[in-house]
Amino acid sequence: MRVLESASVISLFAAIAAFYFWIYRASRNLRSLGVEKQRFSPAWAVGWWFVPIMFWFRPYQVAAEIWKSSAPVNVGVSVSPYSGGGGPSGLWRSHSL
């Protein structure tokens, strides 16, 4: 039983680390897509998860920036993450419940 609990905790931390690595890479890849003005640097895309109070809304803004800026119609265009149209908002709201 102890081994199973340890494996569960290890896999949880591995999944969290993989998620942070993925967010960092996705944010960094926006530059190669031609996005000139990023509101959040790749380091802060991960860093906001560790800032008290800010972790309630900044990670969503980071995800929205990545989502909207990586859309094929927006490549090479500076896009505000607050302009409407799709995005991770529904998934984000369901995750926070």
Side-chain angles (χ1 to χ4, degrees):
M1 192 66 166
R2 205 46 116 173
V3 173
L4 190 58
E5 290 173 1
S6 296
S8 178
V9 169
I10 290 171
S11 64
L12 173 68
F13 284 118
I16 290 170
F19 175 75
Y20 289 148
F21 184 71
W22 176 77
I23 286 289
Y24 178 85
R25 292 290 303 230
S27 182
R28 195 176 85 184
N29 285 341
L30 293 181
R31 292 181 198 154
S32 63
L33 290 175
V35 176
E36 296 173 10
K37 290 186 177 181
Q38 276 184 261
R39 183 169 178 208
F40 307 105
S41 71
W44 274 112
V46 174
W48 286 120
W49 287 93
F50 301 99
V51 179
I53 308 299
M54 300 299 274
F55 68 79
W56 288 107
F57 57 92
R58 282 287 193 234
Y60 169 77
Q61 293 171 345
V62 169
E65 178 180 59
I66 292 169
W67 178 274
K68 292 180 190 261
S69 297
S70 62
V73 296
N74 296 327
V75 170
V77 178
S78 181
V79 177
S80 169
Y82 307 107
S83 57
S89 61
L91 179 62
W92 196 268
R93 285 187 205 115
S94 67
H95 171 70
S96 63
L97 291 176

